[in-house]
Amino acid sequence: MTANSQTPAQTPIVSKWDDAVAATLSEPELLLYRSNLLGSDLRVTNFGGGNTSAKVTMRDHLTGDDVQVLWVKGSGGDLGSIKLDGFSTLYMDKLNALKKRYRGLEHEDEMVDYLPHCTFNLNPRAASIDTPLHAYIPKAHVDHMHPDAIIAIAACADSKRLTEVIFGGQLGWLPWQRPGYDLGLKLEALATSQPNLKGIILEGHGLFTWGDTAKSCYEITLEMIRLAEQWLGENVKQPVFGGVKTITLPAEQRAAIAAQLMPALRGRISAGERKLGDFNDSAAVLQFVASNDLAALAALGTSCPDHFLRTKIRPLVLDFDPAKPDVDALLAGLDKALEDYRADYTAYYERCKRANSPAVRDANPVIYLIPGVGMLSFAKDKATARIAGEFYINAINVMRGANGVDKYVGLPEQEAFDIEYWLLEEAKLQRMPKPKSLAGRVALVTGGAGGIGQAVARQLLQEGACVMLTDIDAGALAEAHANLVKVAGKDSVATVQGNITSEKEVEAVLSATALRFGGLDILVSNAGIASAAPLEDTTLEIWQRNQDILVTGYFLVGRGAFRLMKQQKIGGSMVFVASKNGLVASAGASAYCTAKAAEIHLARCIALEGAAIGVRVNVVNPDAVIRGSRIWDGKWKEERAASNKIDSDNIEEFYRQRSMLKLSVLPEDIAEAVYFMASDKSGKSTGNVLNVDAGNAAAFTR
Ligand SMILES: [Zn+2]
C-alpha cells in the first residue's frame, strides 16, 4: 500500500526539525534540510510537487560585494530527494529589475526567457516556472506545497469563505490563476498589503507559506496542514462519497481480474507507443470505486494542475458489477469504452484548442477505475504509471475532503486545457531525450538469478525495458534483485519465484508479470541445468530431469507467453537460450544434448505459429560460459573436466583454446545476442539460431 493511501482519520503531522542538526548548517543547507523534511511526507506534498526557496546574502564573484540571492527549487526532481544542485540560484536585484520588462498577462510566458539571465554563479539548474511565485514574496523563506487537505479546501465551491473559517485570517486567498509571472505579482501584492498573513491558499491549486527563518517557515507549513486536516476530520460528513454502492472483492480475486484486464487494455492503448501499467487497490482507492458518487465525481475531473498533468483530466470508469463479476463481459466492453473516451478527449481538444496549440496528444485514458477491484494506470514507463496512480489517490483524497464539507469543483475545462497544452509544457516535452530502444517493453527472464540471466536482465534494463525475473531459487533471486535495483531502480525490476516445470506455477509467473507491468513483450527462456554421464550411466531420473526443465519447462513458459502475447495483439519476441550442444552431439551428455536439440526445435515450431500474430522466436546458443554460472559450479565442471581429461581449475583456459577465436565467452556476450534477438534490431528474423561460442566449426548452422 502506498504511503498516501490513508483516510482522513490519522495522526497529526509532527515536526521532524532537529535543532542540533540545523545548528551545523549554512543557509542553503538549511533550505535543503527543510525541503527534504517537507518532501518526505506525502501528506505535505505530492511526489515531484511543490517547491521551496530562501533569499540568502552571498558574496558576488565579480564585484566581491554581498548580494541577495534567491535559492529556489529548480525545474524537475522531488523535494524528498533533492540535493543542493537541484536548486537554481538567481540575483534578487535582477529579478526585481524584471518587473520593468513585464508587458501584462497576455505576455507573461515571455518572462520565462529572462530567468536564465538572472542566474547567479553560472548555476546550470534551469529555473522553474514557479520562480516568480517565490521571488516577490517579501519574506526570506517561502514554501509552496500541494497538501491533499489544503487542496480539498482550495477545491471547494466555497473555498474563500472556508479559508476564513478554518484559518481565522492567518491565510489569505487568491482565486485560481495559472502559475506564472502575473501570479507572482499578485502574491507579492497580497503579502505586502496584509503583512500579518502567514501564507495564502491558491484556489484549486495549493498552499503558500512563509517565515523569517527556515525553521519557522517549516513549522508554519505543517501547522496550516494540521489545521486543515483537523478541521476536515471534524467536519467531513459521513458516509463519505455518498455511501457504499457495491461490494469489494477479496484481494486475490482483485489481483486476478487486474492481471487479465491489464494486457487486454495495454494492447488496445499501445498503438502509438507501448504503455506500462500499474495496479493499485489501496484502501482509499477501494473506498472510492465502491461508492455511490464514483461516476459523478470521476466525471468532474481533477483540480490541482499537478494532478491532471499526470492523470489526464478524467479517468475512465469501467462498467463492472463486482456482485456478479463477469470478466468476459468486462473485456468485451473495452473497445467501446475506449472508443467513447477517445472521442470525448478529442472533442475536448477541439473545443478548447487555440490557434497556436500543439497537436492533439494520445487520447487514451491514463487512469482506469473498476468498481470492487481497484485502479489501473498506464503511462510510457513504469514509474510514470505508478506515480500517475498515486496522483489520482491525491485527487481522491481532495474529492473526499471537498465533497464532505462543501461541493467539490474541478478546474474549468479551458483552464485545464491551457495548462495541458501550454506551450511551455510542450517545450519541456520536446526537450525530453529520445526513448531507449526497449522503452515501454516488458521482459520476462527465466533462470533470472543465474549468471546469464542476470547479465541479460541488466542489458535489457539498460536498454529501457522493465524486467520480471523468475527463478526456482528464492535466495539467489533476492540477491539478483538487489543487484539489479542498483542499476535500474525499484520500478523497473521485479521478481517472482517459480518452478518452470509446474503448469500452475508458470501461469502464476505470467500473471504476476501482467499484474506488475501490464503485459509481456519479450520472453527470455533461459532456465537451465546441465548433466554429463555416459549413456550406460544415464539414469531415467537424469534423463527425465533434462526433459522436464529444458523441454517441458520451455514449452510451458513459451505457451503461456504465446497466449499472453496473442491476447495483447501487439506482437512480441521470444529468445530461447539453448546450447551449442543442441546442434552438436557430444559424447557423455546424451540427456543434455537431446533436450537442448528439442528446445531448439520447439523454438522453430513456435516461430511458425507465432508469425501470424507478430511473435518472433529465435535461439541464442552459448558455449562454455563459465564465469558467473551456477551450472558450472561444482558437479558439471568436474564432469566436463573428467570427460576432457583436464584439471577443473584449467577449464576456462581449456575452452578458450578449443574455440576458433581463442576467446572466452562471457555472460555479457550472451546478453548482447539476446538483446539483439529481443529488440526490433532483429525485427525481420524469426526461427533463427545465433551461436555465441567464440567459433566452433561443428556448430556452424546449415
Ligand atoms: Zn503548485
Side-chain angles (χ1 to χ4, degrees):
M1 205 179 283
T2 50
N4 57 348
S5 61
Q6 65 279 76
T7 48
Q10 53 199 343
T11 49
I13 294 176
V14 287
S15 169
K16 296 180 209 156
W17 191 271
D18 183 337
D19 283 324
V21 172
T24 66
L25 303 176
S26 66
E27 279 298 335
E29 287 165 345
L30 279 170
L31 171 64
L32 176 65
Y33 177 60
R34 175 175 112 227
S35 305
N36 291 159
L37 289 183
L38 291 166
S40 69
D41 190 337
L42 288 173
R43 283 156 67 185
V44 173
T45 201
N46 49 12
F47 177 83
N51 28 58
T52 49
S53 69
K55 300 175 183 84
V56 183
T57 304
M58 302 191 82
R59 181 69 44 92
D60 185 66
H61 296 275
L62 281 180
T63 62
D65 295 340
D66 280 349
V67 289
Q68 279 282 99
V69 176
L70 175 72
W71 284 69
V72 59
K73 178 180 173 281
S75 198
D78 177 63
L79 285 173
S81 56
I82 193 172
K83 307 254 174 13
L84 269 180
D85 67 3
F87 292 89
S88 46
T89 46
L90 305 98
Y91 286 97
M92 271 309 297
D93 57 353
K94 293 192 184 187
L95 286 167
N96 283 322
L98 281 186
K99 288 180 186 168
K100 285 189 249 136
R101 284 286 190 174
Y102 183 50
R103 300 195 292 149
L105 187 56
E106 59 277 28
H107 304 286
E108 72 166 350
D109 284 1
E110 72 187 19
M111 301 307 285
V112 173
D113 292 336
Y114 288 117
L115 294 177
H117 295 281
C118 303
T119 303
F120 173 80
N121 197 19
L122 307 176
N123 184 346
R125 174 65 58 181
S128 93
I129 289 165
D130 282 358
T131 301
L133 312 188
H134 289 260
Y136 301 135
I137 290 172
K139 288 284 173 178
H141 301 269
V142 177
D143 289 338
H144 167 47
M145 300 289 124
H146 296 158
D148 291 348
I150 298 276
I151 302 175
I153 293 154
C156 282
D158 206 9
S159 148
K160 186 176 185 183
R161 192 187 59 84
L162 287 175
T163 300
E164 262 303 309
V165 170
I166 300 166
F167 303 99
Q170 295 183 90
L171 293 183
W173 185 89
L174 278 176
W176 160 260
Q177 181 174 341
R178 193 174 71 179
Y181 196 80
D182 202 77
L183 185 58
L185 298 181
K186 293 219 167 78
L187 282 162
E188 178 189 27
L190 192 59
T192 309
S193 65
Q194 297 185 49
N196 294 331
L197 289 180
K198 292 180 175 172
I200 286 167
I201 283 190
L202 299 179
E203 185 189 22
H205 181 159
L207 175 69
F208 268 87
T209 34
W210 46 73
D212 296 325
T213 65
K215 182 181 179 181
S216 71
C217 184
Y218 170 74
E219 293 190 333
I220 288 168
T221 302
L222 295 196
E223 189 190 324
M224 296 305 134
I225 299 170
R226 249 188 327 254
L227 277 174
E229 285 188 343
Q230 191 189 340
W231 191 86
L232 287 172
E234 289 162 6
N235 290 279
V236 167
K237 58 178 182 290
Q238 302 292 336
V240 297
F241 297 134
V244 179
K245 181 183 179 187
T246 64
I247 60 159
T248 293
L249 293 171
E252 208 171 296
Q253 208 178 343
R254 298 199 297 268
I257 291 170
Q260 261 181 289
L261 188 55
M262 290 173 83
L265 273 173
R266 180 169 185 255
R268 285 167 167 86
I269 60 170
S270 290
E273 66 176 356
R274 276 176 207 242
K275 308 282 188 347
L276 289 161
D278 190 70
F279 172 55
N280 191 313
D281 60 351
S282 56
V285 168
L286 290 175
Q287 185 186 46
F288 183 59
V289 298
S291 74
N292 279 312
D293 289 351
L294 168 66
L297 281 176
L300 287 180
T302 54
S303 59
C304 179
D306 239 23
H307 294 175
F308 70 73
L309 279 176
R310 300 273 192 167
T311 63
K312 273 216 171 85
I313 190 160
R314 271 177 214 95
L316 170 60
V317 180
L318 291 172
D319 185 15
F320 183 70
D321 180 2
K324 288 181 258 147
D326 183 347
V327 179
D328 290 338
L330 178 63
L331 295 174
L334 289 182
D335 283 326
K336 174 80 171 67
L338 287 168
E339 224 171 85
D340 290 351
Y341 186 97
R342 287 191 283 252
D344 243 32
Y345 183 83
T346 311
Y348 148 77
Y349 175 83
E350 291 298 330
R351 266 196 311 278
C352 300
K353 74 174 178 196
R354 297 178 186 270
N356 59 351
S357 289
V360 64
R361 302 203 188 103
D362 183 15
N364 288 300
V366 173
I367 303 290
Y368 303 76
L369 303 174
I370 312 116
V373 176
M375 168 174 67
L376 302 174
S377 48
F378 281 91
K380 65 179 170 44
D381 60 60
K382 175 68 185 178
T384 308
R386 173 181 58 75
I387 292 165
E390 290 172 5
F391 270 73
Y392 199 75
I393 295 176
N394 291 124
I396 290 173
N397 292 339
V398 166
M399 290 186 280
R400 186 180 46 236
N403 231 35
V405 294
D406 186 35
K407 190 171 171 315
Y408 168 78
V409 278
L411 209 54
E413 185 175 79
Q414 187 65 51
E415 286 295 324
F417 179 89
D418 287 345
I419 288 196
E420 192 176 346
Y421 284 89
W422 199 352
L423 292 174
L424 295 176
E425 282 291 334
E426 176 71 7
K428 226 197 257 179
L429 292 176
Q430 296 301 334
R431 281 198 301 269
M432 301 262 262
K434 201 170 153 273
K436 293 178 178 173
S437 66
L438 295 182
R441 309 291 167 113
V442 181
L444 169 65
V445 181
T446 72
I452 292 177
Q454 281 197 57
V456 166
R458 190 177 296 259
Q459 174 114 16
L460 300 182
L461 286 165
Q462 279 164 352
E463 299 295 341
C466 285
V467 177
M468 176 66 89
L469 298 176
T470 185
D471 203 288
I472 197 166
D473 181 341
L477 201 53
E479 215 171 285
H481 184 255
N483 292 338
L484 292 168
V485 163
K486 281 183 219 143
V487 180
K490 67 179 167 56
D491 279 304
S492 304
V493 52
T495 63
V496 53
Q497 197 241 347
N499 176 352
I500 58 158
T501 69
S502 153
E503 192 168 18
K504 237 181 111 184
E505 289 189 34
V506 167
E507 272 172 29
V509 164
L510 287 158
S511 263
T513 308
L515 185 65
R516 168 71 191 218
F517 295 118
L520 182 68
D521 305 291
I522 296 164
L523 165 67
V524 182
S525 230
N526 163 69
I529 49 153
S531 68
L535 179 65
E536 289 169 280
D537 301 335
T538 301
T539 61
L540 180 58
E541 194 208 337
I542 292 175
W543 175 265
Q544 199 61 56
R545 199 168 130 71
N546 278 277
Q547 290 290 316
D548 282 349
I549 295 171
L550 301 177
V551 187
T552 308
Y554 278 58
F555 154 69
L556 287 174
V557 178
R559 187 185 65 178
F562 187 94
R563 286 174 175 161
L564 191 47
M565 288 171 179
K566 190 173 175 184
Q567 191 201 358
Q568 261 185 164
K569 297 190 188 133
I570 45 174
S573 174
M574 300 190 197
V575 185
F576 280 22
V577 179
S579 166
K580 171 212 75 178
N581 291 91
L583 298 173
V584 183
S586 180
S590 55
Y592 178 72
C593 293
T594 309
K596 280 292 179 187
E599 189 190 310
I600 293 171
H601 212 57
L602 172 64
R604 292 164 169 156
C605 293
I606 303 177
L608 272 179
E609 292 192 40
I613 57 166
V615 172
R616 301 183 297 109
V617 190
N618 292 288
V619 173
V620 170
N621 277 339
D623 187 35
V625 180
I626 294 158
R627 221 171 285 172
S629 168
R630 285 178 299 169
I631 291 173
W632 283 88
D633 278 353
K635 202 154 159 261
W636 166 260
K637 196 170 173 181
E638 302 298 330
E639 285 166 356
R640 293 320 293 159
S643 141
N644 290 301
K645 303 189 174 51
I646 48 161
D647 183 41
S648 70
D649 291 339
N650 297 331
I651 204 134
E652 202 169 340
E653 182 58 22
F654 169 79
Y655 278 106
R656 184 159 46 236
Q657 290 310 326
R658 202 185 66 171
S659 73
M660 289 164 55
L661 297 170
K662 310 294 178 208
L663 293 168
S664 292
V665 184
L666 304 175
E668 294 72 34
D669 302 321
I670 309 304
E672 193 70 51
V674 168
Y675 161 59
F676 173 71
M677 284 307 193
S679 74
D680 293 344
K681 289 178 194 292
S682 64
K684 294 179 183 172
S685 275
T686 190
N688 258 324
V689 173
L690 178 53
N691 290 328
V692 187
D693 55 8
N696 183 317
F700 285 3
T701 52
R702 62 189 68 82

